Amino acid sequence: MEALTQEVRRLVETGDEKTRKEVLDALSKLRASIESPDDTVQRITFYNMQLAGIRIGIDLKLFELLAQNEGPHTVDELSQKTGANPVFLARLLRYLASYYAVEEVSKDTFAASRISKTFAVSGFQAAVGHMWNNCGQIIQELPTWLRENNYPDIQDSMKTPFQKALNTDVPAFIYMQQHPEALAYFMEHMMANRAGMPTFLDVYPVEEKAATGLSPKRALFVDIGGGIGHQAVAFKQRYPQLEGRVIVQDLPQTLAHAIQSPGVETQAYDFFTPQVVKGAKFYYLRNIFHDWPDHKCREIIKNTLDAMAPDSALLIDEMVLPNSGVHWQQAQLDMLMMTTLGARERTEEQWYRLVEESGLTISKVYTYTASLRDSIIEVVPTSPAKA
């Protein structure tokens, strides 16, 4: 067994990120193939208890305490620092150690594990806050909601388990704006989730595509629904030499928190209305379409198409799921988008159909992450568009 473990570690240490993911997936598949029915039941039915344990550990600042000092800590020491009852804390720590969230050194003595160090980081704590506080009760409602509604393919953001679970009559985006703590968890989670990962700028040949047709007055890059401007700022910093305006578009309440960066403009805009910037070189939308069902996406595309010049490109930055063999990380996000927004993550086939039905053509797909298949879908007019 030790030799097998060492070989797995060697593969990971000598390989790239794709290899590491493949090893993890292979080990997960192996585990599922050799466990008994009781193993399977125990593993799957207690997943929510594992997340609860992490949530409690975060609330007690347990992971920060362990990570601050590489040495072991006794239960009594941790009890004094957290204020938690020592008998309860010993039970919690033993449970966390059982799935490697902490390391059990000896009786009633614990140290940080790799998982502890992960959840000592604020951004990853926010992921737990978002999934436990914001999404947990909505996911819990999903089976009942589907049964009561005859198992539809949910495509209405106003009629999802979200509304029933939270007893609200507004869509998720409006609800989040009305609940600052929920929004804070979500925003911090989104920022930490992609930290250090490749971006579209690592694969899309911007300079080659922008070799002609630029001018100081023409919009170069319009980030539609761009939030506070992370992508537009990164674009401008990567390509300061390219002529043209760089614009972040979003709703006024979002732009109130926008990053102030030289050469990046902000513009209030609702993407369900006609695009106000005409003839830009690149219209860019990141993780917008996965928030909406097809009929709403077609509205966004039409509003953009009507503004495009013959040499414009629409850059859709989203996951492109394979038509079969979807990775578990992609599949669970698809289920979450359906449950909360009546939306979806799309397969390659679904992307081509959506774009073609909207009067455009996918010229190429540039993929920049391995497991999630985050990609730039480069879309161009099928026929000459209005300038």
Side-chain angles (χ1 to χ4, degrees), residues 173-178 183 187 227-228 249-259 266-270:
F173 289 124
I174 300 300
Y175 180 91
M176 297 284 273
Q177 292 170 12
Q178 295 171 346
L183 182 60
M187 294 298 291
I228 63 174
Q249 295 181 328
D250 214 304
L251 300 177
Q253 58 267 36
T254 300
L255 293 179
H257 306 284
I259 302 168
T266 59
Q267 184 178 65
Y269 172 65
D270 178 345

Side-chain angles (χ1 to χ4, degrees), residues 11 30 82 102 120 150 153 170 181 187 227 255 311 331 352-353 385:
L11 284 172
L30 176 62
T82 63
V102 301
N150 199 28
D153 183 29
V170 300
E181 182 182 21
M187 294 298 291
L255 293 179
D311 67 339
Y352 272 88
R353 182 166 61 246

Side-chain angles (χ1 to χ4, degrees), residues 46-166:
F46 274 84
Y47 274 149
N48 58 342
M49 185 64 79
Q50 290 189 22
L51 186 56
I54 299 293
R55 171 78 264 187
I56 296 164
I58 290 171
D59 289 343
L60 290 172
K61 299 189 182 303
L62 195 57
F63 302 120
E64 289 111 310
L65 289 170
L66 291 170
Q68 283 167 7
N69 188 332
E70 291 293 330
H73 300 254
T74 67
V75 168
D76 286 339
E77 290 170 347
L78 292 169
S79 175
Q80 291 175 7
K81 292 177 179 179
T82 63
N85 178 281
V87 178
F88 156 73
L89 195 57
R91 297 171 72 179
L92 174 66
L93 285 161
R94 286 195 297 269
Y95 178 56
L96 292 170
S98 74
Y99 57 99
Y100 316 108
V102 301
E103 180 184 350
E104 187 172 19
V105 177
S106 60
K107 180 180 178 294
D108 291 336
T109 305
F110 298 85
S113 66
R114 288 184 65 139
I115 295 176
S116 303
K117 293 172 184 177
T118 294
F119 288 116
V121 177
S122 176
F124 298 128
Q125 292 178 358
V128 175
H130 176 57
M131 290 307 300
W132 183 265
N133 294 39
N134 296 348
C135 300
Q137 58 194 313
I138 305 164
I139 295 170
Q140 193 78 13
E141 183 63 42
L142 177 61
T144 301
W145 190 98
L146 286 170
R147 185 173 65 249
E148 291 176 348
N149 289 275
N150 199 28
Y151 300 95
D153 183 29
I154 309 173
Q155 298 194 57
D156 186 341
S157 63
M158 293 293 293
K159 296 178 181 178
T160 75
F162 181 94
Q163 282 76 28
K164 185 173 182 181
L166 299 181

Side-chain angles (χ1 to χ4, degrees), residues 290-291 333-345:
H290 80 154
D291 291 337
L333 287 170
D334 179 45
M335 292 294 290
L336 184 63
M337 302 314 292
M338 178 191 74
T339 304
T340 57
L341 295 167
R344 70 181 70 245
E345 303 293 349

Side-chain angles (χ1 to χ4, degrees), residues 345-363:
E345 303 293 349
R346 292 174 173 84
T347 65
E348 183 176 6
E349 182 179 64
Q350 289 170 333
W351 276 118
Y352 272 88
R353 182 166 61 246
L354 174 65
V355 168
E356 289 169 2
E357 288 175 351
S358 301
L360 293 103
T361 300
I362 294 178
S363 58

